[in-house]
Amino acid sequence: MPEVLLNPDSYLVVDGSINPRGITSIRLMRTRNLRDDTTIPVESKAVLYIEQEGGGRFPLTETAVAGTYTSAPLQLAPGARVRLSLKTQAQRDYVSDYIEVKITPEIDAVHWRIGPDGVQLYANTHDDTGTSRYYRWEYQETWKFTSAFHSHYKWTPTGIVYRTEDIFNCWDDENSTNVKLSNTTKLTKDVVADYPLQLLPSNSVKLRFRYSILVKQYALTAAEYAYWEALGKNTENIGSLYDALPTQLTGNVHALADAAEPVLGFVGAQSVTQQRLYIDRTELPADWHFDTGYNCELDVYPSPFAIRPNAFVFFSDGTFIPVDELSPGVAYKYGTVECIDCRIRGTNVKPAFWQD
């Protein structure tokens, strides 16, 4: 293990941007030491405002999620200059630099093509005014999956009964983690064509039944683009001998009492456009075989090779789940909870947006 710096200070992290065409959401957190495995601390009970240069002040209030603050829906003029102002519970004041409001153009298309490595997803966009030029994307993936086996029975304090709740069909989701950037500064027209967002291998568990991706697009200023570009290099391009060494990120948030105090984060000001795409198994090659994510087998209770407690006691701690009844109250096929209950990996509540 390499030696790492230990710092008694906990620096402020400001995560989010000002949305001039909707609700702004800002999350305040604190840094922790590298070997600290505790929960990331949040900055609660702070006072936040969006300030418009030359007048105008819009408050943010803390939500039920500690450290997350939201505004009322905003309508700010393109080209206006705004910043975030905040005071922590410890009465320390911070502000971001004033930044120009940008209106993000619509996403022209989110589409996909089958290639030799699987399914490649792309984004297309353009700006006829030529004022966007710098773009960032993030996305949330959602997919349907099942448990390894379908359970028809469950343990209850009064006995083993027929199951009515579906723990076989579930949904899981995942947010993008890589920094997705593109710019058109060297092009005559402000057009992004076939920007590669995500590659899904041909055996991906995400494609086994039905897959959806919600893509969000942001137009950035040159300064914000440079910040995200440096962040991407720091977090993604440090795996080989010739990659650049990580550097100290400089955002646009500052402590008023101490300009030398490190503050992490860049508060931009842009609207968000988004588009959702679905891919169904029936749209993919019939000879593709997908991972299930499981390596499971069923067993039979009671085993002829071991002395075990009665069935009621055997299933009572939830480690094993009955699948089929071979003899009422006596003998069952069963599996582990990880193989039978899909809620271990996701949720059995269908997302409100989901389209079958």
Side-chain angles (χ1 to χ4, degrees):
M1 290 293 292
E3 292 186 8
V4 295
L5 295 175
L6 296 178
N7 198 312
D9 294 323
S10 180
Y11 300 125
L12 181 66
V13 181
V14 183
D15 181 24
S17 59
I18 297 169
N19 186 351
R21 289 292 186 271
I23 295 173
T24 293
S25 180
I26 302 291
R27 188 180 179 200
L28 302 183
M29 297 165 286
R30 289 281 175 177
T31 60
R32 63 182 183 184
N33 284 313
L34 186 62
R35 292 178 181 169
D36 185 353
D37 58 1
T38 59
T39 303
I40 296 176
V42 299
E43 183 68 36
S44 188
K45 297 181 174 59
V47 177
L48 281 71
Y49 289 93
I50 296 167
E51 296 179 339
Q52 189 167 333
E53 192 174 38
R57 203 179 191 201
F58 312 96
L60 287 80
T61 56
E62 190 166 13
T63 67
V65 180
T68 298
Y69 304 80
T70 59
S71 72
L74 301 176
Q75 282 291 325
L76 303 178
R81 287 166 53 83
V82 294
R83 72 178 182 181
L84 180 71
S85 174
L86 68 96
K87 182 189 291 287
T88 66
Q89 187 179 14
Q91 302 301 300
R92 293 186 63 83
D93 292 300
Y94 300 83
V95 295
S96 65
D97 296 333
Y98 280 109
I99 194 166
E100 177 187 349
V101 167
K102 296 185 75 71
I103 303 303
T104 301
E106 294 294 327
I107 300 174
D108 292 331
V110 176
H111 65 105
W112 57 278
R113 287 197 293 266
I114 294 174
D117 298 318
V119 173
Q120 178 67 62
L121 294 108
Y122 302 92
N124 291 356
T125 192
H126 78 283
D127 183 359
D128 289 334
T129 69
T131 58
S132 294
R133 293 296 178 183
Y134 299 94
Y135 297 91
R136 182 173 74 87
W137 295 270
E138 61 186 23
Y139 54 82
Q140 182 184 51
E141 301 172 285
T142 307
W143 61 94
K144 184 179 180 179
F145 72 99
T146 67
S147 55
F149 302 101
H150 198 156
S151 167
H152 300 285
Y153 293 87
K154 70 174 182 178
W155 180 93
T156 73
T158 58
I160 298 174
V161 300
Y162 193 80
R163 181 181 299 280
T164 57
E165 184 180 18
D166 184 3
I167 62 170
F168 181 69
N169 295 289
C170 279
W171 290 261
D172 199 2
D173 58 49
E174 187 173 69
N175 292 321
S176 54
T177 55
N178 291 341
V179 178
K180 300 291 184 178
L181 300 171
S182 184
N183 72 77
T184 63
T185 55
K186 296 182 180 180
L187 302 179
T188 304
K189 294 185 177 181
D190 194 354
V191 176
V192 177
D194 288 354
Y195 177 81
L197 287 170
Q198 170 69 313
L199 175 64
L200 299 172
S202 59
N203 65 344
S204 173
V205 67
K206 298 177 182 179
L207 296 171
R208 188 177 173 215
F209 295 106
R210 189 164 173 80
Y211 167 88
S212 178
I213 184 171
L214 176 65
V215 179
K216 295 183 178 181
Q217 179 173 280
Y218 305 85
L220 311 179
T221 63
E224 189 173 6
Y225 182 90
Y227 172 83
W228 281 101
E229 188 175 43
L231 179 63
K233 290 178 180 178
N234 265 5
T235 58
E236 298 166 19
N237 300 329
I238 54 173
S240 74
L241 183 63
Y242 301 104
D243 283 332
L245 292 174
T247 58
Q248 176 69 47
L249 280 176
T250 302
N252 71 340
V253 185
H254 315 284
L256 292 183
D258 182 6
E261 177 185 337
V263 183
L264 305 182
F266 194 109
V267 179
Q270 64 279 120
S271 60
V272 184
T273 58
Q274 62 185 37
Q275 192 171 125
R276 181 178 293 280
L277 170 76
Y278 287 91
I279 302 175
D280 195 82
R281 171 67 182 90
T282 58
E283 300 176 86
L284 302 173
D287 59 350
W288 280 14
H289 300 285
F290 306 102
D291 289 337
T292 65
Y294 295 98
N295 183 17
C296 299
E297 294 181 355
L298 292 179
D299 203 346
V300 175
Y301 173 89
S303 168
F305 306 107
I307 298 175
R308 294 185 177 180
N310 64 62
F312 181 81
V313 175
F314 178 71
F315 292 115
S316 63
D317 67 357
T319 302
F320 302 107
I321 294 179
V323 171
D324 285 314
E325 189 175 59
L326 303 178
S327 177
V330 177
Y332 296 86
K333 284 185 179 180
Y334 72 90
T336 63
V337 63
E338 291 82 9
C339 293
I340 306 302
D341 192 343
C342 64
R343 296 172 299 179
I344 299 296
R345 299 187 179 190
T347 176
N348 63 347
V349 178
K350 182 189 293 189
F353 62 80
W354 191 259
Q355 298 177 3
D356 289 317

